[in-house]
Every structure is written in structure tokens, then in C-alpha cells.
Amino acid sequence: MAVISRGFGGRRRDDANLPPGQYRTDDFPVLSAGPTPRINLDTWELAVITEAGERSTWSWAEFTALPADEPTVDIHCVTHWSKFGTRWRGVAVDTLLADVESAADYVVAHSYGGYTTNMPLEDLLDGQAWVAYEFDGEPLTPVHGGPARLLVPHLYFWKSAKWLRALELRLDDEPGFWETAGYHNDGDPWREQRYQTD
């Protein structure tokens, strides 16, 4: 005869906005794959590079002069924390790609310091992603990816590359730093896509 523990139902989620396996935090934990780079705004540059090698670039002054959005979004880290109602200011990826001609289906985000992450281009379009340079009304601090980071809130936060320097548009998918180390290629928190085996 099986022994049943009455009332056992697994870990309960009290909030429908919390993806499976996550817990809510009011802190903003700092996690990085390496040291925080020192980036001079006088030499900072953001580039969009097409599959044909064509480049669109912005200096810091040019970038921060672009039309900006102020999204308020929930963010979810693969290490199980979620932070609700985070407030950002940044430039929509749609704005950066408005005049770019490309047949690409994928993008690799490149960071100062060498970090990369990949995703389908469609994950960055239609108001789903920004290059953010303010958090909670203040300039984005270096430990959180400042001066500017990618913000893709519907995917696990490792896809929101800190210290962004380029978006490389590609015809083929090329896994980035954590993806080649066994993290899931897609990283959807609602499907709990943490690792390649998920």
C-alpha cells in the first residue's frame, strides 16, 4: 500500500505572474559572467551589423538622442529570482533597425568584455526589446550593465546582455556564451527553458 502525505502538492506559486520555479525578490541581484568592464562614454559605440557586413553605428550622444521608451516590465533570472515592475528607459530595438535592410532571422548580442548571447530576431521586434540606459529613473550602473544593456524581459535575463556594443544580424543561429555552456538556446521562463535538457 502506498504512503500518501496528505496535503503535499509541490511548491505552490502564490502569484500567477511568477513563472514556474521562480521566487519573487525586491532586490536586484548582481550576476555576471566576468569582471565589469570600464567603458568610456567618449569612445562608446553601439553598432548594428547586417549579414552582409553593413554597419549602422551610434555614439553615446547620438544614441541617447534617439526617441526613448519607458517600459515597466517583470524580469526573470535563470537562477530562479524574478523582480516585478522594473522601470527602464531605453531605445526600442525596432527604432535601431528601422532603416536597416536585412533578411536575417537571428541576432547575436555582443558585449564589451566579450560576452555574447543569441536569439531569433523576432524576439527583439514589435516592442519586445530595448537597449536600456536608465533603471528606476537613474543612469544604469555598470554592475547592472551600464552604460547600456539589452533588455528582453520575456526571456531569462542572461539574454539581456550587459554592456552592449553590437547587435549582429545573422541568417543562421550561433549560440552565445551560456548557450555553448549548456544553457537553453531559447530561454523562455514560462516554459522553464533553463538548460539544453529542459
Side-chain angles (χ1 to χ4, degrees), residues 118-145:
N118 62 303
M119 63 210 82
L121 181 57
E122 66 184 2
D123 275 321
L124 301 183
L125 303 177
D126 300 323
Q128 296 185 95
W130 300 265
V131 178
Y133 55 89
E134 288 184 10
F135 174 75
D136 207 17
E138 299 291 335
L140 188 59
T141 60
V143 295
H144 287 302

Side-chain angles (χ1 to χ4, degrees), residues 33-119:
T36 300
R38 298 186 184 277
I39 302 167
N40 186 332
L41 292 182
D42 293 334
T43 57
W44 181 91
E45 178 183 85
L46 177 64
V48 171
I49 307 163
T50 71
E51 69 277 15
E54 297 171 357
R55 295 172 61 93
S56 300
T57 60
W58 296 267
S59 67
W60 183 253
E62 293 167 337
F63 171 69
T64 55
L66 293 171
D69 295 338
E70 295 186 355
T72 298
V73 296
D74 302 339
I75 54 176
H76 311 287
C77 183
V78 72
T79 61
H80 300 279
W81 60 262
S82 291
K83 184 171 176 63
F84 289 176
T86 61
R87 297 186 305 118
W88 304 83
R89 180 176 179 82
V91 178
V93 173
D94 296 298
T95 300
L96 299 173
L97 299 181
D99 297 322
V100 174
E101 291 188 25
S102 174
D105 290 320
Y106 301 95
V107 64
V108 175
H110 295 266
S111 298
Y112 288 92
Y115 179 82
T116 59
T117 189
N118 62 303
M119 63 210 82

Side-chain angles (χ1 to χ4, degrees), residues 29-37 115 142-145 149 162-163 177-178:
V30 175
L31 301 167
S32 299
T36 300
Y115 179 82
V143 295
H144 287 302
R149 75 175 300 153
K162 294 181 177 183
W163 315 300
F177 178 86
W178 285 118

